[in-house]
Amino acid sequence: MLPKSNMNKTREKNMLVYSFEMSEKEKVYLNAGVIDTIFDSLKFLKTSDKLKIKKNKGLFFKGSTYIEKENISKLKKIVSSWKGLFSEATQNFVLIGFFNTKIDGCERWNCNKEEVIESFEKLIIFCEKVEKENKIIRCRKLTVKLTDNREER
């Protein structure tokens, strides 16, 4: 029998994600592998840094990216299009990301079709809410601890 301290342990997993945020409490996560796959199409968005000093097309590689109100609808269209494309994927698939010098190869992400589609749907609904409330979106890359591949801990 396992000691009591090990019986209640939940299996945790760290996952690199992009967090799309309207506020500290209102956010949606997308797997970094998914974002890496759609990264080039996000260059259709006009974005900036927090102080609006640096202008960009798409997401910044480092730091936070701010998506202004006039680009939320465009983000929603891009995500909707990718949702349709990913709906044709097999139930489980592998995405190949950018070249990573630390591993001397391309990053790979094992993905589940239902989870990817669900994350796109959440981002689309989130965009609609942001539009309705006339807000902006902050996007940043971070690592979250997951207990079952879906819920933040």
Side-chain angles (χ1 to χ4, degrees):
M1 185 164 179
L2 291 171
K4 268 191 176 179
S5 61
N6 289 339
M7 288 175 62
N8 295 329
K9 283 193 176 181
T10 305
R11 192 170 162 195
E12 290 181 355
K13 178 182 176 185
N14 288 334
M15 178 182 268
L16 186 62
V17 298
Y18 279 79
S19 176
F20 291 82
E21 308 165 353
M22 182 168 60
S23 69
E24 193 59 40
K25 293 181 181 177
E26 296 178 276
K27 56 184 95 175
V28 174
Y29 298 124
L30 258 70
N31 176 302
V34 173
I35 292 295
D36 285 357
T37 301
I38 71 171
F39 196 85
D40 284 342
S41 61
L42 296 174
K43 290 181 182 176
F44 292 110
L45 302 173
K46 293 178 184 174
T47 59
S48 66
D49 64 348
K50 184 176 184 173
L51 301 175
K52 297 184 182 180
I53 295 171
K54 294 181 183 176
K55 300 289 181 186
N56 197 27
K57 290 185 177 182
L59 303 179
F60 286 101
F61 279 106
K62 293 185 178 185
S64 295
T65 301
Y66 290 81
I67 303 168
E68 298 293 330
K69 299 169 193 170
E70 61 273 5
N71 281 278
I72 305 297
S73 176
K74 196 178 288 187
L75 173 61
K76 189 169 60 173
K77 288 177 186 174
I78 291 168
V79 172
S80 293
S81 297
W82 279 103
K83 177 187 163 204
L85 186 61
F86 275 93
S87 70
E88 298 299 321
T90 58
Q91 191 58 39
N92 294 296
F93 57 95
V94 176
L95 291 175
I96 299 173
F98 297 121
F99 186 82
N100 184 332
T101 55
K102 291 179 184 174
I103 61 172
D104 198 30
C106 291
E107 297 171 325
R108 296 177 186 275
W109 288 274
N110 293 318
C111 296
N112 176 278
K113 175 181 173 178
E114 291 172 10
E115 290 176 4
V116 172
I117 297 297
E118 181 182 328
S119 65
F120 280 140
E121 288 171 347
K122 286 180 179 179
L123 185 54
I124 292 165
I125 292 166
F126 181 74
C127 287
E128 290 168 353
K129 182 175 182 175
V130 172
E131 280 182 311
K132 187 177 178 182
E133 296 185 21
N134 203 26
K135 303 279 186 176
I136 64 172
I137 293 176
R138 174 188 184 197
C139 179
R140 61 191 175 125
K141 191 188 296 189
L142 49 94
T143 301
V144 295
K145 287 187 179 184
L146 302 176
T147 55
D148 73 350
N149 291 343
R150 290 188 185 186
E151 296 180 25
E152 178 187 9
R153 195 186 135 190

